Each structure stands twice: as C-alpha cells, then as structure tokens.
Amino acid sequence: METMNRIFIIGCPGSGKSSLGRILKDKKDLPLYYLDMIYHLPDKTHITAEAFTKKLKTITDNDKWIIDGVYFNYVKEYFHKADTIFYLDIPLDICLESVKRRSGVLREDFPYIEDSNDEVFHNYIRNFNINFKDAILKELALYPHINIIIFHSYKEIDDYVSTL
C-alpha cells in the first residue's frame, strides 16, 4: 500500500467523506480538517474566500493531513500537494438519504445544525454530478503520480478500509 500522509477526500455532500476521514484519521494517525468547519461559522455566515484559501494553504504546507471537503473550486488548486485523493462518487439517492438522516443533528464536522428543509442545499446535491463530476474527473486525470481512489458505494469504502 502506498504512503498516505496528505489526503484529500472529495465528493458530494452525504457521500461519506467525514466518516471516511474519521476512519483514516484513526488508522493513519493523521490530523483531520473538515472544510465545512473552516468555511462556515456558527452564525450561518462564512469566512471570506481569501481567508479560506489562506487556511487551505497553511494546512497543505504541512507534511501530514486529511482534508474532508467538497469545495472543489478551492481544493483543486492544492491537489498537487496530496499523495492520495479519495473521490466518493456515491449515487445521488444515497447522498440525499444520508443528508436527510443527519439533518437536525449537531455534528463534529459542521458548526451548526443543518435544516432538513434547505431546498437550496438539496438542489446543490441533486445537481452535484451535473455541475462537478466531469470537472473532478478531468482534474484528477492531471495527477497520475497521485494515488487516486474512486469509490462508487459504501461497500467499496468498507472493503477498502478493512484492509488498512
């Protein structure tokens, strides 16, 4: 198995990024950064793009990290610093169900309780593949030297982490 010290976990909201991040954190003893916790503030506002980019640079300048986040237009600029990228290409219905289950619950990876009726967020999820999948795959193809692992189901993720 290749070295994993600098890891991106990307994918649609509800795809299991944070769950995979916690497993990898424990198995690899790496610091885990949730981009939602960096970008969003408890009062439901967010930091500036400049501050977010600065934080991403600070994290990726370190030798060891796991970054869990879907902020593709920001994180793609730092893919070259990773040794491993996990892309969770999980079916839409599963992502929507996962988001529905976690709505109304305070989580360690998000600074406030998500509203289960947030139609803007649900539309973002419904359109994630239309808006991002081709761009993600095209961007990942630029990094043949990086270990890129694509999962299409939770079973594939479970099978993979059981080998770590």
Side-chain angles (χ1 to χ4, degrees), residues 105-149:
V105 176
L106 185 60
R107 306 182 336 255
E108 72 178 76
D109 59 336
F110 204 78
Y112 56 84
I113 296 174
E114 289 177 299
D115 179 2
S116 62
N117 297 316
D118 186 344
E119 201 53 38
V120 171
F121 183 51
H122 292 147
N123 282 333
Y124 175 82
I125 295 168
R126 285 183 198 100
N127 292 305
F128 185 85
N129 281 344
I130 295 165
N131 293 331
F132 295 105
K133 185 174 181 173
D134 288 344
I136 288 170
L137 293 172
K138 183 177 179 182
E139 189 71 26
L140 293 178
L142 299 175
Y143 302 100
H145 64 286
I146 295 174
N147 185 25
I148 296 172
I149 302 165

Coordinates of all heavy atoms in Angstrom, one line a residue, residues 105-149:
V105 N -29.2 17.4 13.5 CA -28.3 16.8 14.4 C -27.0 17.6 14.4 O -26.5 17.9 13.4 CB -28.0 15.3 14.1 CG1 -26.9 14.8 15.0 CG2 -29.2 14.5 14.1
L106 N -26.5 18.0 15.6 CA -25.2 18.7 15.7 C -24.1 17.7 15.5 O -24.1 16.6 16.1 CB -25.0 19.4 17.0 CG -23.8 20.3 17.2 CD1 -23.8 21.4 16.1 CD2 -23.7 20.8 18.6
R107 N -23.2 18.0 14.5 CA -22.1 17.1 14.2 C -20.8 17.7 14.4 O -20.6 18.9 14.4 CB -22.2 16.7 12.7 CG -23.6 16.2 12.3 CD -23.7 15.7 10.9 NE -22.8 16.3 9.9 CZ -23.2 17.3 9.1 NH1 -24.4 17.7 9.0 NH2 -22.3 17.8 8.2
E108 N -19.7 16.9 14.5 CA -18.4 17.4 14.8 C -17.8 18.1 13.5 O -16.8 18.8 13.6 CB -17.4 16.4 15.3 CG -17.0 15.3 14.2 CD -16.1 14.3 14.8 OE1 -16.5 13.4 15.5 OE2 -14.9 14.4 14.5
D109 N -18.4 17.8 12.3 CA -17.8 18.3 11.1 C -18.6 19.4 10.5 O -18.3 19.9 9.4 CB -17.8 17.1 10.0 CG -19.2 16.5 9.8 OD1 -20.1 16.6 10.6 OD2 -19.4 15.9 8.7
F110 N -19.5 20.0 11.3 CA -20.3 21.2 10.8 C -20.6 22.1 12.0 O -21.0 21.6 13.0 CB -21.6 20.7 10.1 CG -22.1 21.6 9.1 CD1 -21.5 21.8 7.8 CD2 -23.2 22.4 9.4 CE1 -22.0 22.7 6.9 CE2 -23.7 23.3 8.5 CZ -23.1 23.5 7.2
P111 N -20.5 23.4 11.8 CA -20.6 24.3 13.0 C -22.0 24.6 13.5 O -22.2 25.3 14.5 CB -19.9 25.5 12.5 CG -20.1 25.6 11.1 CD -20.1 24.1 10.6
Y112 N -23.0 24.2 12.7 CA -24.4 24.4 13.2 C -25.3 23.3 12.7 O -24.9 22.5 11.8 CB -24.9 25.8 12.8 CG -24.9 26.1 11.3 CD1 -25.9 25.7 10.4 CD2 -23.8 26.8 10.7 CE1 -25.9 25.9 9.1 CE2 -23.8 27.1 9.4 CZ -24.8 26.7 8.5 OH -24.8 26.9 7.2
I113 N -26.5 23.2 13.2 CA -27.4 22.2 12.8 C -28.1 22.5 11.5 O -28.6 23.6 11.3 CB -28.5 22.0 13.9 CG1 -27.9 21.5 15.2 CG2 -29.6 21.0 13.5 CD1 -28.8 21.4 16.4
E114 N -27.9 21.6 10.5 CA -28.5 21.8 9.2 C -30.0 21.7 9.2 O -30.5 20.9 10.0 CB -27.9 20.7 8.2 CG -26.5 20.9 7.9 CD -26.0 19.8 7.0 OE1 -26.0 18.7 7.4 OE2 -25.5 20.1 5.9
D115 N -30.6 22.5 8.4 CA -32.1 22.5 8.3 C -32.5 21.4 7.2 O -32.0 21.4 6.1 CB -32.5 23.9 7.8 CG -34.0 24.0 7.6 OD1 -34.7 23.0 7.8 OD2 -34.4 25.1 7.2
S116 N -33.3 20.5 7.6 CA -33.8 19.5 6.8 C -34.6 20.0 5.6 O -34.8 19.3 4.6 CB -34.6 18.4 7.5 OG -35.7 19.0 8.1
N117 N -35.1 21.2 5.7 CA -35.9 21.8 4.6 C -35.1 22.8 3.7 O -35.7 23.6 3.0 CB -37.1 22.5 5.2 CG -38.0 21.5 5.9 OD1 -38.3 20.5 5.4 ND2 -38.4 21.9 7.1
D118 N -33.8 22.7 3.8 CA -33.0 23.7 3.0 C -33.0 23.2 1.5 O -32.1 22.4 1.1 CB -31.5 23.7 3.6 CG -30.7 24.7 2.9 OD1 -31.0 25.2 1.8 OD2 -29.6 25.0 3.5
E119 N -33.9 23.8 0.8 CA -34.1 23.4 -0.6 C -32.9 23.8 -1.5 O -32.5 23.1 -2.5 CB -35.4 23.9 -1.2 CG -35.9 23.2 -2.4 CD -36.1 21.7 -2.2 OE1 -36.4 21.2 -1.1 OE2 -35.8 21.0 -3.2
V120 N -32.2 24.9 -1.2 CA -31.0 25.3 -1.9 C -29.9 24.3 -1.8 O -29.3 23.9 -2.8 CB -30.5 26.7 -1.5 CG1 -29.2 27.0 -2.1 CG2 -31.6 27.8 -1.8
F121 N -29.7 23.8 -0.6 CA -28.7 22.7 -0.3 C -29.1 21.4 -1.0 O -28.3 20.8 -1.7 CB -28.5 22.5 1.2 CG -27.5 21.5 1.5 CD1 -26.2 21.6 1.0 CD2 -27.8 20.5 2.4 CE1 -25.2 20.7 1.4 CE2 -26.8 19.6 2.8 CZ -25.5 19.7 2.2
H122 N -30.4 21.0 -1.0 CA -30.8 19.8 -1.6 C -30.7 19.9 -3.1 O -30.3 18.9 -3.8 CB -32.2 19.5 -1.2 CG -32.4 19.1 0.2 ND1 -33.5 19.4 1.0 CD2 -31.5 18.5 1.1 CE1 -33.3 18.9 2.2 NE2 -32.1 18.4 2.3
N123 N -30.9 21.1 -3.7 CA -30.7 21.3 -5.1 C -29.2 21.2 -5.5 O -28.9 20.7 -6.6 CB -31.3 22.6 -5.6 CG -32.8 22.5 -5.8 OD1 -33.4 21.4 -6.0 ND2 -33.5 23.6 -5.6
Y124 N -28.4 21.7 -4.6 CA -26.9 21.6 -4.8 C -26.5 20.1 -4.9 O -25.8 19.7 -5.8 CB -26.2 22.3 -3.7 CG -24.7 22.2 -3.8 CD1 -23.9 23.0 -4.6 CD2 -24.1 21.2 -3.0 CE1 -22.6 22.8 -4.6 CE2 -22.7 21.0 -3.0 CZ -21.9 21.9 -3.9 OH -20.6 21.7 -3.9
I125 N -27.1 19.3 -4.0 CA -26.8 17.9 -4.0 C -27.3 17.3 -5.3 O -26.6 16.5 -6.0 CB -27.4 17.2 -2.8 CG1 -26.6 17.8 -1.5 CG2 -27.2 15.7 -2.9 CD1 -27.3 17.4 -0.2
R126 N -28.6 17.5 -5.6 CA -29.2 17.0 -6.9 C -28.4 17.3 -8.1 O -28.4 16.5 -9.1 CB -30.6 17.5 -7.0 CG -31.6 16.8 -6.1 CD -33.0 17.3 -6.3 NE -33.8 17.0 -5.2 CZ -34.2 17.9 -4.2 NH1 -33.8 19.2 -4.4 NH2 -34.9 17.6 -3.2
N127 N -27.8 18.5 -8.1 CA -27.0 18.9 -9.3 C -25.5 18.7 -9.2 O -24.8 19.1 -10.1 CB -27.4 20.4 -9.6 CG -28.8 20.5 -10.0 OD1 -29.2 19.9 -11.0 ND2 -29.5 21.4 -9.3
F128 N -25.1 18.1 -8.1 CA -23.6 18.0 -7.9 C -22.9 17.3 -9.1 O -21.9 17.8 -9.6 CB -23.4 17.2 -6.6 CG -21.9 17.1 -6.3 CD1 -21.3 18.2 -5.6 CD2 -21.1 16.1 -6.7 CE1 -19.9 18.2 -5.3 CE2 -19.8 16.0 -6.4 CZ -19.2 17.1 -5.7
N129 N -23.4 16.1 -9.5 CA -22.8 15.4 -10.6 C -22.8 16.2 -11.9 O -21.9 16.3 -12.7 CB -23.4 14.0 -10.8 CG -22.9 13.0 -9.8 OD1 -21.9 13.3 -9.2 ND2 -23.6 11.9 -9.7
I130 N -24.0 16.9 -12.2 CA -24.1 17.7 -13.4 C -23.0 18.8 -13.4 O -22.4 19.1 -14.4 CB -25.5 18.3 -13.5 CG1 -26.5 17.1 -13.7 CG2 -25.6 19.3 -14.6 CD1 -28.0 17.6 -13.5
N131 N -22.9 19.5 -12.2 CA -22.0 20.6 -12.1 C -20.6 20.3 -11.9 O -19.7 21.1 -12.2 CB -22.5 21.5 -11.0 CG -23.8 22.2 -11.3 OD1 -24.2 22.4 -12.5 ND2 -24.6 22.4 -10.3
F132 N -20.2 19.1 -11.3 CA -18.9 18.9 -10.8 C -18.2 17.6 -11.3 O -17.0 17.6 -11.4 CB -18.8 19.0 -9.3 CG -19.1 20.3 -8.7 CD1 -20.3 20.6 -8.1 CD2 -18.2 21.4 -8.8 CE1 -20.6 21.8 -7.6 CE2 -18.5 22.6 -8.3 CZ -19.7 22.8 -7.7
K133 N -19.0 16.6 -11.5 CA -18.3 15.3 -11.8 C -17.3 15.3 -12.9 O -16.2 14.8 -12.7 CB -19.4 14.2 -12.0 CG -18.8 12.8 -12.1 CD -19.9 11.7 -12.2 CE -19.3 10.4 -12.3 NZ -20.3 9.3 -12.2
D134 N -17.7 15.8 -14.1 CA -16.8 15.8 -15.2 C -15.5 16.6 -14.9 O -14.4 16.2 -15.2 CB -17.4 16.3 -16.5 CG -18.4 15.4 -17.1 OD1 -18.4 14.2 -16.7 OD2 -19.3 15.8 -17.9
A135 N -15.7 17.8 -14.2 CA -14.6 18.6 -13.8 C -13.7 17.9 -12.8 O -12.4 18.0 -12.9 CB -15.1 20.0 -13.3
I136 N -14.3 17.2 -11.9 CA -13.5 16.5 -10.9 C -12.6 15.4 -11.6 O -11.4 15.3 -11.4 CB -14.3 15.9 -9.8 CG1 -14.9 16.9 -8.9 CG2 -13.6 14.8 -9.0 CD1 -16.0 16.5 -7.9
L137 N -13.3 14.6 -12.5 CA -12.5 13.5 -13.2 C -11.5 14.1 -14.1 O -10.3 13.6 -14.2 CB -13.5 12.7 -13.9 CG -14.5 11.9 -13.1 CD1 -15.5 11.2 -13.9 CD2 -13.7 10.8 -12.2
K138 N -11.8 15.2 -14.7 CA -10.8 15.8 -15.6 C -9.6 16.3 -14.8 O -8.4 16.2 -15.2 CB -11.4 17.0 -16.4 CG -10.5 17.7 -17.4 CD -11.3 18.8 -18.1 CE -10.3 19.5 -19.1 NZ -11.0 20.6 -19.8
E139 N -9.8 17.0 -13.7 CA -8.8 17.5 -12.8 C -7.9 16.3 -12.2 O -6.7 16.4 -12.2 CB -9.4 18.3 -11.7 CG -8.4 19.0 -10.8 CD -7.7 20.2 -11.5 OE1 -8.3 20.8 -12.5 OE2 -6.6 20.6 -11.1
L140 N -8.6 15.3 -11.8 CA -7.9 14.1 -11.2 C -6.9 13.5 -12.2 O -5.8 13.0 -11.9 CB -8.8 13.1 -10.6 CG -9.6 13.6 -9.4 CD1 -10.6 12.5 -9.0 CD2 -8.7 14.0 -8.3
A141 N -7.3 13.5 -13.5 CA -6.5 12.9 -14.6 C -5.2 13.7 -14.7 O -4.2 13.1 -15.3 CB -7.3 12.9 -15.9
L142 N -5.1 14.9 -14.2 CA -3.9 15.7 -14.3 C -2.8 15.2 -13.4 O -1.6 15.7 -13.5 CB -4.2 17.1 -14.1 CG -5.1 17.8 -15.0 CD1 -5.4 19.3 -14.6 CD2 -4.6 17.8 -16.5
Y143 N -3.1 14.3 -12.5 CA -2.2 13.9 -11.4 C -1.9 12.4 -11.4 O -2.3 11.7 -10.4 CB -2.7 14.4 -10.1 CG -3.0 15.9 -10.0 CD1 -4.2 16.4 -10.2 CD2 -1.9 16.7 -9.9 CE1 -4.4 17.8 -10.2 CE2 -2.1 18.1 -9.9 CZ -3.3 18.6 -10.0 OH -3.5 20.0 -10.0
P144 N -1.3 11.9 -12.4 CA -1.0 10.4 -12.5 C -0.1 9.9 -11.4 O -0.1 8.8 -11.0 CB -0.4 10.2 -13.9 CG 0.1 11.5 -14.3 CD -0.7 12.6 -13.6
H145 N 0.7 10.8 -10.8 CA 1.6 10.5 -9.7 C 1.0 10.4 -8.4 O 1.6 9.9 -7.4 CB 2.8 11.5 -9.7 CG 2.3 12.9 -9.3 ND1 1.6 13.7 -10.2 CD2 2.4 13.6 -8.1 CE1 1.3 14.8 -9.6 NE2 1.8 14.8 -8.3
I146 N -0.3 10.8 -8.3 CA -1.0 10.8 -7.0 C -1.9 9.5 -7.0 O -2.5 9.1 -8.0 CB -1.9 12.0 -6.9 CG1 -1.0 13.3 -6.7 CG2 -2.8 11.9 -5.6 CD1 -1.7 14.6 -6.7
N147 N -1.9 8.9 -5.8 CA -2.8 7.7 -5.6 C -4.2 8.2 -5.6 O -4.7 8.8 -4.6 CB -2.4 7.0 -4.3 CG -3.1 5.7 -4.1 OD1 -3.6 5.1 -5.1 ND2 -3.3 5.3 -2.9
I148 N -5.0 7.9 -6.6 CA -6.4 8.4 -6.7 C -7.3 7.1 -6.6 O -7.1 6.2 -7.4 CB -6.7 9.1 -8.0 CG1 -5.8 10.4 -8.0 CG2 -8.2 9.4 -8.2 CD1 -5.8 11.2 -9.3
I149 N -8.2 7.2 -5.6 CA -9.1 6.0 -5.4 C -10.5 6.6 -5.5 O -10.9 7.5 -4.8 CB -8.8 5.5 -4.0 CG1 -7.3 5.0 -3.9 CG2 -9.7 4.3 -3.7 CD1 -6.8 4.7 -2.5

